[in-house]
């Protein structure tokens, strides 16, 4: 078809329902706010790895859907999560990204979380243990026992990640949420403890779902020279994109030929436990968490939406805690060559989604985004995204192809239309 | 300080600044020509998030050459980088055969691709802040890089770069 006029440009494509969506899903401010309350405040988020707080009294801070969070490890070694919010007048309790409460702070004692403002103190279980001039100010109207921290659902699972859910009553347990997609890697990730060796983040102008889309489709390997030369073979094109309940997708494994790219070496020797040599698995969890194991190194991405057209992506690299110094150095090198901030692929992925962010930023005209590739659910099929947006529609009660209308499943919507 | 050392430290400074100009101009082979056979390049950073020293990139002369030769096959952000380097200290070994230097740098990204090149292009943004920790070998009055550690303060790297810093 030659270039199109506006009517043709904005017309529905000749594809089935569910094979395209409306770009307002990415650009609309109301939708972005609603996603925080309807999705991010309800799902299990892998906020960090337990190796980031290895010792008793270690802590990490983070946030989910604008709510500040603190993760602590107690003297009993148990990892717990709380809102990082002082119950007195709302000061952020801990301001550093990580550290230890073993040392006292200017306003407070060792082994306590201390709010620096008026020196209220809390133990590692979130109990309030000290209110300055408690009796003088509150007499018997309010006491320590009434002003504990807000505790959050928290579990350490699937390779030692710390999963937090802001809801007191999650609609589904972590096990039911993520157990099935993790089955393919469970033995590799849980055989022995893992350890994080890499952290960096990007804050870019695009919608968080566009980053997750990129992680859920391999058609964009045409952008990555490295993947084309090391990956494009028969077994690559036979890789399946498998959909799981709750909007998750797993891309099955195949053998990567690293030696086809000059300067690259096989990763066979340092494969994770139980993983056949040079295999590559991807687990994409709704609504934006990715676990990517390329033989010798695990990468994870965690998205934090900062607006319809702004997202923070936190990148981690992990190896085995038992690594010798030499093995660890090799894993880091493998990780960096493709996924490091100066590596071959990550930079290209970030350019790709930033370009999408430019054409779909707030207040841009809505248009159709095509998710219609059907290739027997293999690697260049877009079934991963179709599956994701159907789940998204249910959580949001919006139709991805017409987000101002309530959700209905693609098949039912098609039937209703046919009956009209 | 003996004359000899004074000359050597001037050559060290000169070599660091020439490297900056070559890197800014994306004259990668000119940059590597300033390096010895045993050259080793590494970008590091400390993360208070995970409480660890990290390596973001590394390579010997052969690996850096191969990375540079394959750059044109990869997609890249087009915005050129401008480095501002200040050499703080130069220490020359007593035998005059080696030296080390510490420099501070900032890198600006002169936007060409932006969120919208029509709007962002032409603007300069602070891209990276850090230190160069360099080691040199001196043979026949020639100063050559033996090792460069680029120690970044940044842990936020948005579009990063394939390019050495
Ligand atoms: S706000 Fe925390 S002690 Fe007052
Ligand atoms: Fe990619």
């Amino acid at each position: 078809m030659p270039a199109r006029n506006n009517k043709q440009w904005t017309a529905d494509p000749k594809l089935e329902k569910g094979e395209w969506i409306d770009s307002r899903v990415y650009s609309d401010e109301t939708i972005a706010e609603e996603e925080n309350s309807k999705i991010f405040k309800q799902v299990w988020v892998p906020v960090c790895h337990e190796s980031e707080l290895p010792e008793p009294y270690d802590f990490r801070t983070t946030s989910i859907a604008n709510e500040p969070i603190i993760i602590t490890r107690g003297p009993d070694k148990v990892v717990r999560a709380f809102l990082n919010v002082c119950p007195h007048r709302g000061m952020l309790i801990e301001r550093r990204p990580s550290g230890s409460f073993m040392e006292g702070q200017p306003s407070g004692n060792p082994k306590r979380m201390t709010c620096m403002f008026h020196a209220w103190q809390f133990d590692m279980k979130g109990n309030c243990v000290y209110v300055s001039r408690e009796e003088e100010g509150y007499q018997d109207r309010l006491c320590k026992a009434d002003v504990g921290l807000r505790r959050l659902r928290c579990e350490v699972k699937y390779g030692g990640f710390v999963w937090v859910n802001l809801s007191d009553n999650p609609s589904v347990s972590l096990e039911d949420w993520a157990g099935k997609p993790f089955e393919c890697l469970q033995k590799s990730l849980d055989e022995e403890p893992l350890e994080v060796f890499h952290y960096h983040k990007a804050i870019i102008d695009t919608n968080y779902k566009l980053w997750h889309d990129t992680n859920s489709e391999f058609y964009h390997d045409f952008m990555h020279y490295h993947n084309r030369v090391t990956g494009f073979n028969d077994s690559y094109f036979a890789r399946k994109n498998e959909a799981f309940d709750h909007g998750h997708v797993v891309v099955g494994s195949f053998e990567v030929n690293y030696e086809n790219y000059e300067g690259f070496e096989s990763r066979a020797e340092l494969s994770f436990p139980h993983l056949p040599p040079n295999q590559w698995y991807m687990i994409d969890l709704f609504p934006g968490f990715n676990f990517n194991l390329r033989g010798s190194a695990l990468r994870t991405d965690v998205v934090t939406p900062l607006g319809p057209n702004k997202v923070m992506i936190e990148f981690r690299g992990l190896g085995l805690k038992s690594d010798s110094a030499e093995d660890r150095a090799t894993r880091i090198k493998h990780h960096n060559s493709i996924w490091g901030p100066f590596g071959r692929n990550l930079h290209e992925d970030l350019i790709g989604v930033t370009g999408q962010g430019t054409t779909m930023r707030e207040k841009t005209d809505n248009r159709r985004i095509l998710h219609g590739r059907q290739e027997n659910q293999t690697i260049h099929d877009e079934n991963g995204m179709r599956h994701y947006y159907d789940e998204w529609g249910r959580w949001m009660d919006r139709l991805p192809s017409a987000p101002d209308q309530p959700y209905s499943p693609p098949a039912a919507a098609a039937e209703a239309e046919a009956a009209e | 300080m003996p004359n000899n050392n004074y000359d050597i430290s001037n050559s060290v400074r000169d070599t660091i600044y020439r490297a900056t100009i070559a890197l800014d101009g994306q004259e990668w082979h000119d940059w590597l020509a300033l390096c010895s056979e045993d050259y080793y390049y590494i970008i590091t950073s400390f993360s208070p998030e995970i409480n660890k020293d990290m390596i973001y990139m590394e390579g010997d002369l052969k690996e850096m050459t191969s990375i540079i030769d394959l750059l044109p096959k990869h997609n890249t952000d087009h915005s050129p980088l401008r480095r501002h380097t200040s050499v703080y200290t130069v220490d020359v070994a007593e035998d005059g055969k080696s030296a080390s230097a510490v420099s501070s740098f900032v890198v600006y990204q002169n936007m060409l691709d932006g969120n919208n090149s029509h709007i962002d292009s032409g603007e300069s943004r602070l891209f990276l802040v850090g230190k160069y920790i360099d080691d040199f070998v001196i043979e026949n009055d020639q100063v050559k890089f033996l090792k460069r550690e680029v120690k970044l303060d940044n842990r936020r790297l948005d579009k990063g770069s394939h390019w050495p810093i």
Side-chain angles (χ1 to χ4, degrees), chain B residues 115-131:
Chain B
N115 297 338
N116 189 340
S117 59
H118 166 62
I119 293 169
D120 296 343
S121 187
E123 181 184 325
S124 291
R125 293 183 186 165
L126 185 59
F127 186 61
L128 297 172
V129 177
K131 280 207 165 80

Side-chain angles (χ1 to χ4, degrees), chain A residues 95-141:
Chain A
R95 293 160 289 145
R96 296 167 290 174
S98 79
S100 166
F101 291 117
M102 278 307 270
E103 280 172 37
Q105 291 292 302
S107 303
N109 299 327
K111 302 188 180 177
R112 303 276 180 249
M113 293 183 248
T114 302
C115 176
M116 67 160 259
F117 219 148
H118 313 96
W120 288 24
Q121 296 185 27
F122 308 88
D123 68 14
M124 295 301 114
K125 290 183 174 173
N127 301 308
C128 180
V129 291
Y130 177 74
V131 167
S132 38
R133 292 178 60 77
E134 182 179 0
E135 273 178 42
E136 289 87 338
Y138 291 108
Q139 301 82 40
D140 52 8
R141 295 170 300 125

Side-chain angles (χ1 to χ4, degrees), chain A residues 209-320:
Chain A
K209 297 189 287 303
L210 290 161
W211 184 256
H212 195 71
D213 292 353
T214 301
N215 274 332
S216 318
E217 59 94 354
F218 281 68
Y219 190 36
H220 81 270
D221 275 339
F222 284 99
M223 169 168 81
H224 298 312
Y225 171 72
H226 178 273
N227 291 15
R228 291 204 310 275
V229 299
T230 59
F232 278 13
N233 58 33
D234 289 348
S235 60
Y236 167 93
F237 285 107
R239 275 174 99 182
K240 282 276 183 181
N241 247 336
E242 201 184 340
F244 288 84
D245 280 356
H246 309 301
H248 312 318
V249 183
V250 170
V251 182
S253 185
F254 85 120
E255 195 168 333
V256 183
N257 302 310
Y258 288 103
E259 59 285 352
N260 290 355
Y261 187 100
E262 207 198 313
F264 271 58
E265 56 186 60
S266 160
R267 289 152 181 232
E269 275 180 20
L270 283 179
S271 289
F272 267 46
H274 304 290
L275 192 73
N278 290 325
Q279 302 286 301
W280 175 15
Y281 279 97
M282 289 271 271
I283 300 174
D284 296 301
L285 293 192
F286 181 86
F289 316 119
N290 174 255
F291 299 79
N292 196 342
L293 182 59
R294 264 182 188 260
S296 55
L298 176 70
R299 160 183 155 193
T300 66
D301 300 4
V302 175
V303 299
T304 301
L306 301 173
N309 198 44
K310 201 180 267 295
V311 59
M312 172 170 77
I313 312 158
E314 292 178 285
F315 301 100
R316 285 176 173 80
L318 296 101
L320 305 180

Side-chain angles (χ1 to χ4, degrees), chain A residues 20-35 39 206-210 213 286 307-309 360-361 364-369 371 385 388-390 392-393 396 398-405:
Chain A
W20 51 272
I21 65 168
D22 187 299
S23 62
R24 277 174 292 176
V25 159
Y26 301 115
S27 61
D28 188 278
E29 281 160 312
T30 314
I31 288 177
E33 266 173 42
E34 218 177 278
E35 284 174 320
I39 298 177
T206 199
N207 187 275
Y208 77 91
K209 297 189 287 303
L210 290 161
D213 292 353
F286 181 86
N309 198 44
M360 291 186 263
R361 63 192 189 278
T364 47
D365 286 345
N366 60 307
R367 63 183 71 95
R368 308 304 180 207
I369 304 300
H371 291 162
M385 285 182 288
Y388 177 100
Y389 285 97
D390 187 48
W392 181 90
M396 295 288 288
R398 289 178 183 269
L399 203 55
S401 57
D404 40 5
Q405 290 171 31

